[in-house]
Amino acid sequence: MLSLLAMLWLASTPVESPTPPAPRPPPPQCLSSQGRTVCGYQCKSTGTSAACARTPYGVCQVLAGSVHCWDPPRVVIHHPASSGAKPECKESRGQVACGYNCRIFNGEVACNRTPYGVCTTHFSRLVCWDPPESVIHQYGAETPAPRCLNASEAVGCGYDCKATRAEVQCASTPDGVCRLDKERFTCFDPPSLLHCDHSAPPPAN
């Protein structure tokens, strides 16, 4: 009788399907040009030179007659944006910049190092700012968007920005705070108490 009950219990117990292994990134490739061979990812050649990204999350583009390759920082690889933003390279007047949210303004080109940054213009220049890595480790894809604030003579980017006519100051983290009392700034950012464990490989690109 007991053996029959045990068999019925085993038959009613749901069987957990094994967790599928994480997809592996594509294998690196090699490319030869003018007797020189390079290996990596996203390899490109101009016919006279070649270059590759170091990780499968990088980008390579041929701009201004040269191959330009760029890899995102490790914190972005482990905490990709939910928007699926990919790095890129842009060129303006022979100047090349690579990263995220690339902007061209008045002949200048600039990019963010992470998809969580912001770029703005101030008079005739581009200004780009990225949250500290500790913020991205803490919030991941939910990292709050920073903003930039212009004063007549300055620009600042970050969180809880405050400005006078000649100066801008911002907190560096979403939990930070800035106060402006009688033309005097006081900004404070609490330390990050998070320990981010990246013992597992990041998701495949």
Side-chain angles (χ1 to χ4, degrees), residues 160 162 169 177-181 183-188:
D160 197 32
K162 300 292 188 297
Q169 290 198 17
V177 62
C178 279
R179 291 287 300 273
L180 178 59
D181 298 302
E183 302 295 305
R184 182 175 180 178
F185 293 95
T186 303
C187 293
F188 171 79

Side-chain angles (χ1 to χ4, degrees), residues 101-152:
N101 188 34
C102 296
R103 297 271 302 275
I104 295 176
F105 176 74
N106 199 27
E108 184 182 5
V109 58
C111 307
N112 287 114
R113 293 184 64 254
T114 76
Y116 306 107
V118 63
C119 286
T120 190
T121 59
H122 183 65
F123 292 110
S124 60
R125 66 189 181 100
L126 275 169
V127 177
C128 293
W129 186 88
D130 289 279
E133 290 193 359
S134 59
V135 170
I136 301 174
H137 280 302
Q138 180 175 350
Y139 290 94
E142 303 300 322
T143 297
R147 73 184 189 106
C148 296
L149 187 62
N150 286 323
S152 60

